[in-house]
Amino acid sequence: MSCCCCTDEPSSKVEPGTPDHEGMSTRQPDQFFVTDRSCTDILSLIVLIGLVIGFGFLMSIVAQKGDIYRVVNGYDDCANVCGRITERERSNNSDFACKGKDMRKNRYLQITVDTRGVRTRTCVEKCGPQDTVFLNRCVKNETMESITSLITKLGLDNFYKEASRDLSVASREIVYLLLIALAISFGILIAFRYMVQWIVYIVLTAVILASIGGSAFLWLTWYWEKKAVQTHEIDVEDSSEQAYIVYAIILTAVTVIILLIILVMRKRIALVMQLFHEAGKAVYAMPVLLLQPVYTYLLIGLTVCGWLYCMLWIESAGNIYKNRKSHIHFRKDSVLVATRWYNLFFFFVTCEFLLGCQHIVVAGAVARWFFTRDKKQVSLPVVKSFGYLIRYHLGTVAFGALIIGIVRLIRAIISFVQNRLKKYDNDCVRLILWCCHCCFWCFECALRFLTRNAYIETAIYGCNFCTGGKKAFQALASNVLRVAAINSVGDFVLFLGKVTVVTLTVVSGIYLLQKKEGLHYPWVPIALAGFFAMLVAHCFISIYEMIIDTIFICFCEDYAKNDGINRPYFMSRGLMEFVENSKKALRYADHHS
């Protein structure tokens, strides 16, 4: 997965064109938004293709040794699948002579246990009077009665039927609520552009007032407690004077820290608000960006279905053998066990690859828009960005997907080992595994953050993953306080947006369904609508978050490579206010506008 086939040399063909003014070369040493690109990280793409071929090869082995209906329908002690015609064993081994019967009439699997504890599996035409059919299995009524009694005690005996009926009755209102969630999401995006400063000011004011008010309350409480002790109204042993003064000191220190942080980062917080405004302009100029998560999550949903389907095949596969009780079963060899983990790893990589493709497309479109002086000249930025992805940068996305997939696989293996060691009482080993799991989780979060920003640099310069990661790290490291402001204030505002969408959708659901007749559990359709509202809000706001990150990286690159005078900025006038030579740059922009 080494970085290859990428050039960091400046391109002679850039977009937009180099400003033409006296004393400035027609070629800058480091151009923006390179259009003359070459393929990046080809080796990673080859590895990914090899991963796909390897998965296909392993699944062909699984198809030879498995039958998904062994899991779905079950099989008897002769390995005959219930409700199906089972092929005879190709080997002439007499131990498997009973395998290969027609069980189409015997659809259900019945498992009995004799007095010696021996389990017998038999395919039957219908279950006995003392059995209940559940997932093509005959389950004893005693077992079902135990489950039913538990459900009855919990008050869930008729819940599923009534809840299903409620969803059917309120289906029209659920559709209305989904449309309301969609409309509110669009409204939130508009509010982010025009009203985000008020949201931030309200949040900061609330935090400051809460901190100061809490500190004052604790100090007053401590004073009253101390005075009560001095006047012997409260015994010293019953007094909480020491606790109150400790709490007051701690909260006062926190309040001072909060005030200092807000004072130091006030300009960075203003930059966050301006980034929201710029992101709103980008969405207005390229509304197609809002459709990107729809395609991505549909593909991820199909990936989940494919992973589950392959998992069923893998669990059904095995080498046939007869145990000591003369029952035929299937045992997994090392190849099939490895295929389990391979399937999980392939699932991780596929999901990360799809998300990475979305990041590259969004970042490429926004970067093209940002580095175009005349925004009216931007033509089909999303389509062109998708074309760049397919033609040049699939290898870069594959690189990021592979490294994140490896980390996720390691975390899954650690979790597997933790579950296996639960039966052993070894606190030291559990602590070590827990620490490893925590460290890899933190590493994965940091890797995801760096990967997203590396994709943005790749979208701008057309460089490979390693170069993009290096550029992103340098840009972020030189703007640590700004990054902190975006990841604190910005993320909190985005979170408030999601909460607002869900809350207003739920409130609308309560209003629509409060007088609806025929509902047993009105909260069921409301909860379902709230869940879908959360998904809708996440789809739209996650794109908004990526747009903000892209504009911020573009702002950092523009600020680092240009000076606003000899090399004019590409950024808007609003963003120019946050650079050191903002007054000179604004005067120059006014003079040449």
Side-chain angles (χ1 to χ4, degrees):
M1 293 186 297
S2 62
C3 303
C4 66
C5 197
C6 176
T7 175
D8 291 329
E9 295 296 327
S11 172
S12 59
K13 187 178 180 183
V14 297
E15 185 173 316
T18 307
D20 185 15
H21 61 277
E22 187 177 359
M24 183 175 179
S25 173
T26 58
R27 291 185 61 183
Q28 296 181 15
D30 199 353
Q31 300 279 17
F32 291 104
F33 204 86
V34 178
T35 57
D36 186 12
R37 305 187 178 207
S38 60
C39 56
T40 56
D41 298 300
I42 291 182
L43 185 57
S44 298
L45 184 59
I46 293 174
V47 171
L48 182 61
I49 294 173
L51 188 69
V52 175
I53 295 173
F55 183 73
F57 174 73
L58 290 176
M59 288 307 298
S60 66
I61 297 176
V62 169
Q64 293 174 3
K65 297 184 177 182
D67 183 357
I68 194 172
Y69 288 99
R70 293 176 190 166
V71 177
V72 176
N73 293 4
Y75 59 90
D76 62 9
D77 289 333
C78 287
N80 296 306
V81 179
C82 301
R84 305 276 296 178
I85 299 177
T86 306
E87 293 183 0
R88 290 186 175 275
E89 192 65 23
R90 295 179 181 178
S91 63
N92 295 323
N93 193 334
S94 59
D95 291 340
F96 311 131
C98 61
K99 181 176 179 288
K101 295 181 180 179
D102 185 355
M103 292 292 179
R104 284 179 293 182
K105 293 183 179 180
N106 301 330
R107 299 172 52 193
Y108 305 110
L109 175 65
Q110 187 172 44
I111 301 176
T112 58
V113 182
D114 60 16
T115 56
R116 296 174 299 173
V118 178
R119 299 176 62 186
T120 303
R121 306 163 65 93
T122 309
C123 293
V124 296
E125 186 174 354
K126 61 180 180 179
C127 297
Q130 297 180 348
D131 297 330
T132 303
V133 178
F134 182 74
L135 296 178
N136 289 326
R137 272 75 171 171
C138 298
V139 182
K140 293 295 182 182
N141 287 336
E142 292 83 0
T143 304
M144 295 302 297
E145 288 174 359
S146 300
I147 298 174
T148 304
S149 63
L150 177 62
I151 293 175
T152 303
K153 290 179 181 178
L154 295 175
L156 302 176
D157 46 347
N158 296 321
F159 172 76
Y160 297 106
K161 293 181 180 179
E162 294 176 349
S164 301
R165 194 178 300 116
D166 289 343
L167 293 177
S168 177
V169 171
S171 58
R172 181 183 299 178
E173 284 75 10
I174 292 175
V175 174
Y176 291 160
L177 291 175
L178 292 179
L179 295 176
I180 290 173
L182 189 63
I184 295 173
S185 298
F186 280 113
I188 290 294
L189 296 184
I190 296 173
F192 280 161
R193 179 178 179 181
Y194 295 105
M195 300 174 58
V196 68
Q197 64 271 22
W198 299 108
I199 298 174
V200 174
Y201 288 146
I202 290 172
V203 171
L204 293 179
T205 302
V207 170
I208 293 173
L209 292 178
S211 301
I212 295 176
S215 300
F217 172 77
L218 288 175
W219 282 111
L220 287 174
T221 305
W222 167 76
Y223 174 76
W224 291 331
E225 192 81 7
K226 181 180 179 181
K227 190 174 182 180
V229 172
Q230 292 175 350
T231 57
H232 303 290
E233 296 179 9
I234 301 177
D235 294 336
V236 177
E237 297 178 354
D238 298 332
S239 173
S240 301
E241 179 183 351
Q242 296 296 327
Y244 280 124
I245 193 172
V246 171
Y247 297 151
I249 292 173
I250 293 175
L251 188 55
T252 302
V254 171
T255 302
V256 172
I257 292 173
I258 291 174
L259 292 175
L260 289 176
I261 290 175
I262 293 175
L263 181 64
V264 171
M265 299 187 65
R266 64 189 186 281
K267 195 167 184 179
R268 281 87 181 179
I269 294 173
L271 173 62
V272 173
M273 293 186 285
Q274 184 61 35
L275 288 174
F276 271 84
H277 182 70
E278 297 294 327
K281 292 195 293 185
V283 171
Y284 180 78
M286 299 172 289
V288 182
L289 287 174
L290 299 178
L291 298 178
Q292 301 307 308
V294 178
Y295 306 142
T296 302
Y297 287 109
L298 283 177
L299 291 174
I300 290 178
L302 293 176
T303 302
V304 172
C305 295
W307 171 68
L308 292 174
Y309 182 73
C310 292
M311 184 179 65
L312 290 176
W313 268 100
I314 294 170
E315 294 306 316
S316 71
N319 298 315
I320 191 169
Y321 77 101
K322 179 176 283 189
N323 61 16
R324 292 177 297 177
K325 300 171 185 176
S326 298
H327 297 165
I328 299 176
H329 290 281
F330 298 91
R331 180 190 293 120
K332 285 181 170 52
D333 54 20
S334 58
V335 174
L336 294 176
V337 173
T339 305
R340 279 177 174 169
W341 293 104
Y342 199 102
N343 181 43
L344 183 63
F345 176 63
F346 189 71
F347 169 71
F348 289 154
V349 172
T350 304
C351 291
E352 296 300 330
F353 183 81
L354 294 173
L355 289 173
C357 289
Q358 173 183 291
H359 295 333
I360 286 281
V361 171
V362 174
V366 174
R368 180 186 291 270
W369 171 83
F370 184 93
F371 289 116
T372 301
R373 299 191 189 280
D374 186 2
K375 308 300 184 187
K376 296 179 180 179
Q377 295 181 358
V378 179
S379 175
L380 301 175
V382 178
V383 176
K384 292 179 180 178
S385 181
F386 182 76
Y388 282 169
L389 166 68
I390 299 299
R391 187 174 179 182
Y392 301 116
H393 302 311
L394 286 178
T396 299
V397 179
F399 190 102
L402 287 170
I403 58 175
I404 295 178
I406 291 172
V407 175
R408 293 186 66 180
L409 180 64
I410 294 173
R411 287 185 57 204
I413 293 174
I414 294 175
S415 298
F416 174 77
V417 174
Q418 282 179 317
N419 291 329
R420 283 299 182 94
L421 293 179
K422 279 184 178 179
K423 57 184 178 181
Y424 302 104
D425 189 14
N426 193 325
D427 295 335
C428 181
V429 174
R430 282 202 298 267
L431 178 62
I432 293 174
L433 290 174
W434 182 85
C435 292
C436 292
H437 193 278
C438 182
C439 291
F440 274 102
W441 178 80
C442 295
F443 179 67
E444 181 185 340
C445 293
L447 190 61
R448 284 181 183 277
F449 179 74
L450 184 61
T451 300
R452 278 167 55 97
N453 290 281
Y455 288 155
I456 296 173
E457 296 286 359
T458 297
I460 297 173
Y461 294 108
C463 58
N464 59 30
F465 184 89
C466 295
T467 305
K470 179 181 177 181
K471 286 178 176 291
F473 181 79
Q474 291 173 346
L476 297 174
S478 59
N479 295 273
V480 175
L481 293 180
R482 289 169 174 168
V483 173
I486 293 173
N487 289 336
S488 55
V489 179
D491 288 352
F492 184 70
V493 171
L494 294 174
F495 172 74
L496 286 180
K498 296 178 183 179
V499 172
T500 302
V501 173
V502 176
T503 302
L504 293 180
T505 302
V506 170
V507 171
S508 301
I510 294 173
Y511 176 77
L512 289 176
L513 297 174
Q514 62 180 349
K515 296 182 180 180
K516 184 75 174 180
E517 297 181 357
L519 292 180
H520 299 87
Y521 304 102
W523 61 268
V524 172
I526 293 174
L528 182 64
F531 174 75
F532 282 112
M534 181 184 66
L535 293 180
V536 171
H538 177 73
C539 286
F540 286 109
I541 294 179
S542 63
I543 284 294
Y544 209 88
E545 182 180 7
M546 185 64 189
I547 294 172
I548 290 174
D549 291 342
T550 303
I551 293 176
F552 176 68
I553 291 292
C554 292
F555 166 78
C556 294
E557 294 292 338
D558 193 13
Y559 173 66
K561 305 295 172 57
N562 297 317
D563 58 11
I565 301 174
N566 295 324
R567 296 184 300 276
Y569 291 127
F570 289 97
M571 67 183 73
S572 66
R573 293 179 58 86
L575 289 175
M576 284 185 193
E577 297 178 358
F578 300 96
V579 299
E580 292 182 359
N581 58 341
S582 58
K583 294 182 179 179
K584 294 181 180 179
L586 288 171
R587 283 199 301 267
Y588 182 86
D590 291 336
H591 180 70
H592 288 79
S593 60

